[in-house]
Structures are given as C-alpha cells and as structure tokens.
C-alpha cells in the first residue's frame, strides 16, 4: 500500500522528521486559502499522485510540471486550477498518466544541496538497509547506473538497531559537518523509528535537503507499507486512496486475497503463491498471457473463492479462466462450491478450465460435474494450460 506526499507529511510530523509546512487542497479556493495561511513565506504547489517524477512531468492539457514555485494566494488558485482534475504524465505513471485530485501547498525552502535517502527491507540480508547518496533530486536508478560509487548502503542489525556511531559514519560519508551533521543524524534516527513502527516496506526521501540556515529537511516522500502488517495500523489503512489503486486489487484486499492485475486475458485462480507463479509461467509457455496473479491462500473459505471468481469476471479483459488447485490444507470441494456460487450469481460467459488435485479432489470434481456448468477439466497443469490457451484462441 502507498500513500500521498501530504499524508507522508502527517507521519513525518508525528515522528518528528522535519519537513516544510504544507496543506492539502482539493479546489483552487482551498489552495488560495492554504497559501494565505503561509503568507509571507515563499511557496510551492505540488500535484498529489502516487507517482514520482512530478516536477519534470507534464499534464495532458499541455501544462508543464507538477511542482511549481508560487508567490501569492491568487497564483496558488491559478496553478491549482491548471492541475486539479487534469491528468499528469510522469516517467513513473506510464502514458495514461494519473488524474490529480489534490494539490499540496507547502513552504518553499532555500536549498543548499539535494541528497537521496531511503530505508527499505533487503531480502538478501533480511535486514533493513539505508540507502543514501549526495546525488539527490534526480532518479536514483540513473545514479546507480551512471555513478554506482555514489550510492551508500548501510545495513542495520534488526536486534541491535541503528547505533549512534552508524549514524555519524553515514553523515560523514555524505559530507555533513558540525550542527548540520547532528540535524541529519537526528532525522535519520527518527525516520528509522517511523519505518519500524509503521511496518514500512520502504520510505524514500528524494530529495532530502540541507538549507543555508543549517536545517536538514525532507522535501518529498514516498512510502510503501507491508500489506501483511496493515491490520496493526488502522490509522494508516485509513490513508488508503482507492482512486489511486487498481479497483480489482482494492476489491481483492477486502477479502484478503493476494491479487495483482496484469495485462493479459487468461485469468487464473490458484492456491499458493508458488503455484500461482508456476501457473502464470505455464500459461505463457503455451502462448497465452495471464490477466492476473491470484492466490486464494491455503485456508480460503467459500466466500473468498466466490469473491475471487467475481473479481476475475468483473475484468472486461478476461476471455478465459484457469483454475489450478493443489489441495493440501485447501479442500478441493470448497473451491468447487465457491466457483459454483459465483457462477450462479454472475453467469459463466467465458471458457473455464479446472484442474483439481489433492485433498478431497473426488468430491470437488463431483460437485463441479453436478453443477451443470460448462466446465472443461484438465488432467495436468500442462493439459489445463493448453486447453485454456486454445479456448481463448
Ligand atoms: P517529484 O520527485 O515527484 O518530482 P519532488 O517533491 O521531489 O517531486 O519535487 C521536485 C523538485 O522540486 C525537488 O527536487 C526540489 O528541487 C523542488 N521542491 C520540491 N518541494 C520543494 C519545497 N518545499 N521547497 C523548495 N523546493 C522544492
Ligand atoms: Mg522527488
């Protein structure tokens, strides 16, 4: 799950990570009022979408840039009206862009230098890793490609935590001195606390800036949260913006299904992430394109299976469905009952191939056979994949 920059700012405030004052607005009038509140200060106005590269992006209406310096409330309203309800295209949004529904008016700070700072989970070492660079404000992928020596990585021991000497080392490597170094260390310590407390998968600040008056501030923020830990954070879940997410994924998350929408036309419903990956592979192997990754999990209920099937059928790109179940904890008959319940509600307008194996498979097959639905059965994974690829033609 991701959040907007203005929401990230709320978390920064809560944890004491310094960032410029800012206020979110959904209309030009609100933007003007926000600018009025910060009267006297230099200001920026920033489009709020779940994608980076806004500064260098462009709107489909021809307006350039999703981040602008402004000087007055009138100008705030003028720029807001050019951004709100318009589509912003950046290197991260793809061609289709993102509709801007909110802007943030924030204090503009004088920048001495732009740095890059992020904390993420590193699977290879099973530790949080801090990634930092003196080359901030630009795409970190480019920095990693062109000047890999300018990227600093520091792994944190999960039990010992982030030690003061580690902070000082990082600070020195980035070239901070004196008071500013202390500012930087304090900021990273707070950010690390935020990262752990909120079960983030990633916090990225690009740019982190130093200012002529000795401050160190987070000017931008991108957050990712571990979906499996969200149950511990109702306040963060409340920040979810379904408008920014794939509607299929929103529906799936309501039923605790692991679903990722893809571009193909063969939907798959599978139990277990490994089997789901293998099923997508075999669809591709026989010349098809998967429409999704969908793992109903080991102990799915009939309601979850029904919901999963409905999500699949609700996707207009789907031209055929492959159900591939290896019953272990999962009872094949539960899958069969869920499929039938969903098909009765929605009809079954497209080809369905089912391959069941394992726990209670005979009952599952019997239930499907007795349903009167037009279902093709697959004996093996390969057989089932070939059949569905042929059926969608
Ligand atoms: P994005 O990464 O989506 O382009 P940023 O928030 O990083 O958006 O903004 C792009 C650039 O705009 C930053 O690198 C920084 O130079 C400038 N900028 C952003 N916010 C401020 C601010 N509050 N004050 C001054 N400059 C800013
Ligand atoms: Mg940025």
């Amino acid at each position: 799950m991701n959040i907007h920059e203005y929401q990230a700012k709320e978390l920064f405030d809560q944890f004491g990570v310094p960032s410029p004052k800012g206020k979110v607005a959904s209309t030009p009038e609100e933007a003007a009022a926000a600018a009025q509140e910060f009267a006297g200060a230099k200001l920026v106005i920033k489009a709020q979408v779940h994608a980076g590269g806004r500064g260098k992006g462009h709107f489909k209406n021809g307006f350039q840039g999703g981040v602008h310096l402004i000087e007055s409330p009138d100008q705030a309203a003028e720029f807001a009206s050019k951004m709100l309800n318009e589509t912003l295209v950046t290197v991260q949004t793809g061609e289709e862009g993102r509709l801007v529904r909110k802007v943030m008016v924030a204090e503009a700070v004088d920048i001495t230098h732009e740095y890059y700072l992020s904390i993420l989970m590193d699977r290879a070492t099973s530790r949080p890793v801090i990634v930092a660079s003196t080359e901030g404000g630009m795409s970190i992928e480019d920095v990693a490609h062109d000047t890999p020596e300018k990227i600093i990585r520091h792994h944190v021991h999960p039990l010992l935590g982030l030690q003061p000497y580690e902070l000082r080392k990082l600070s020195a490597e980035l070239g901070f001195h004196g008071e500013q170094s202390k500012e930087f260390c304090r900021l990273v310590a707070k950010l690390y606390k935020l990262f752990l407390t909120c079960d983030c998968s990633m916090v990225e600040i690009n740019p982190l800036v130093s200012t002529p008056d000795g401050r160190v501030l987070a000017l931008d923020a991108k957050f990712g949260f571990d979906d499996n830990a969200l149950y511990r954070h109702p306040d963060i879940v409340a920040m979810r913006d379904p408008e920014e997410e794939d509607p299929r994924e929103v529906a799936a998350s309501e039923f605790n299904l692991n679903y990722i929408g893809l571009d193909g036309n063969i939907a798959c419903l599978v139990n277990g992430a490994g089997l789901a990956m293998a099923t997508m592979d075999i669809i591709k192997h026989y010349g098809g394109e998967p429409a999704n990754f969908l793992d109903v999990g080991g102990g799915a209920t009939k309601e979850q299976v029904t919901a999963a099937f409905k999500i699949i059928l609700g996707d207009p790109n789907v031209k055929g469905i492959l159900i591939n179940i290896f019953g272990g904890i999962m009872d094949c008959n539960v899958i069969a009952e869920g499929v039938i319940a969903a098909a009765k509600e929605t009809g079954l307008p497209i080809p369905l191939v089912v391959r069941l194996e394992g726990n209670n498979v005979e009952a599952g097959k019997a239930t499907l056979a007795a349903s009167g639905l037009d279902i093709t059965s697959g004996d093996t994974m390969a057989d089932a994949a070939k059949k569905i690829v042929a059926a969608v033609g």
Side-chain angles (χ1 to χ4, degrees):
M1 185 195 136
N2 304 111
I3 56 174
H4 287 290
E5 183 190 10
Y6 75 90
Q7 296 167 319
K9 216 195 114 43
E10 287 170 22
L11 291 178
F12 282 165
D13 290 349
Q14 226 172 301
F15 283 82
V17 176
S19 68
K21 285 194 196 111
K23 228 180 156 187
V24 68
S26 330
T27 62
E29 294 72 35
E30 282 175 22
Q36 191 68 51
E37 244 179 76
F38 304 129
K42 284 190 291 179
L43 299 172
V44 288
I45 187 163
K46 307 173 79 170
Q48 299 294 292
V49 289
H50 283 189
R54 294 164 300 166
K56 295 197 177 80
H58 67 273
F59 287 85
K60 286 197 171 163
N61 62 4
F63 186 62
Q64 286 299 316
V67 178
H68 286 275
L69 280 169
I70 48 170
E71 278 168 0
S72 64
D74 283 350
Q75 214 182 8
E78 181 196 330
F79 279 74
S81 68
K82 287 180 181 152
M83 296 188 187
L84 286 166
N85 302 313
E86 299 291 342
T87 305
L88 177 62
V89 180
T90 81
V91 288
Q92 291 186 10
T93 63
E95 291 269 312
E96 70 273 24
R98 290 283 174 84
L99 190 66
V100 177
R101 292 183 175 84
K102 291 188 169 82
V103 293
M104 182 167 83
V105 176
E107 237 181 322
V109 297
D110 291 329
I111 299 172
T112 313
H113 190 83
E114 296 192 305
Y115 300 84
Y116 174 92
L117 176 70
S118 65
I119 308 178
L120 43 151
M121 280 298 177
D122 180 29
R123 282 174 186 268
T125 57
S126 310
R127 292 177 181 206
V129 59
I130 300 177
V131 181
S133 175
T134 50
E135 311 304 297
M138 55 187 100
S139 150
I140 195 67
E141 289 81 10
D142 291 347
V143 179
H145 182 264
D146 301 337
T147 49
E149 71 282 1
K150 292 202 166 146
I151 297 202
I152 300 166
R153 288 186 186 79
H154 183 83
H155 290 89
V156 184
H157 191 287
L159 295 181
L160 296 179
L162 189 54
Q163 300 288 322
Y165 80 89
E166 296 176 293
L167 289 168
R168 288 196 295 272
K169 180 163 177 279
L170 190 63
S171 163
E173 281 175 318
L174 289 172
F176 284 110
H177 298 288
E179 270 309 306
Q180 207 149 38
S181 172
K182 288 185 192 157
E183 281 280 321
F184 172 79
C185 293
R186 277 194 287 270
L187 184 149
V188 181
K190 286 171 181 163
L191 191 68
Y192 188 73
K193 181 156 187 225
L194 194 177
F195 175 82
L196 288 186
T197 312
C198 296
D199 289 306
C200 299
S201 51
M202 179 188 77
V203 185
E204 182 183 64
I205 301 177
N206 190 17
L208 176 83
V209 301
S210 55
T211 67
D213 56 359
R215 291 183 297 162
V216 180
L217 298 164
L219 282 209
D220 189 11
K222 182 175 170 184
F223 273 74
F225 297 94
D226 178 351
D227 289 346
N228 291 321
L230 282 176
Y231 73 96
R232 299 203 281 212
H233 305 286
D235 46 333
I236 292 169
V237 175
M239 292 181 175
R240 175 163 244 154
D241 181 353
E243 310 264 23
E244 288 280 337
E245 296 178 22
D246 186 328
R248 299 171 296 181
E249 289 176 19
V250 175
S253 77
E254 276 168 29
F255 288 91
N256 275 322
L257 300 163
N258 295 314
Y259 177 97
I260 297 164
L262 300 167
D263 299 331
N265 60 6
I266 299 177
C268 21
L269 189 157
V270 188
N271 67 322
L275 189 60
M277 301 293 280
T279 305
M280 290 159 56
D281 280 351
I282 204 160
I283 289 172
K284 281 200 95 110
H285 180 73
Y286 286 110
E289 285 293 334
N292 65 276
F293 167 98
L294 172 56
D295 165 20
V296 296
T301 60
K302 184 178 144 196
E303 287 67 36
Q304 279 176 300
V305 176
T306 311
F309 207 74
K310 281 202 218 159
I311 291 165
I312 287 176
L313 284 175
D315 181 344
N317 295 327
V318 171
K319 299 288 178 270
I321 305 171
L322 173 57
I323 296 183
N324 188 16
I325 300 297
F326 193 85
I329 300 168
M330 187 79 235
D331 178 335
C332 289
N333 200 35
V334 170
I335 296 280
E337 283 174 351
V339 168
I340 291 166
K344 285 211 171 113
E345 268 183 62
T346 53
L348 185 58
I350 49 176
L352 169 64
V353 176
V354 179
R355 181 252 181 171
L356 294 179
E357 200 53 80
N359 179 13
N360 213 10
V361 60
E362 293 312 326
K365 284 187 174 165
T367 304
L368 287 177
S371 71
L373 290 171
D374 183 11
I375 298 172
T376 308
S377 122
D379 294 332
T380 61
M381 240 170 105
D383 180 47
K386 272 188 225 166
K387 282 177 174 160
I388 193 63
V389 171
V392 302

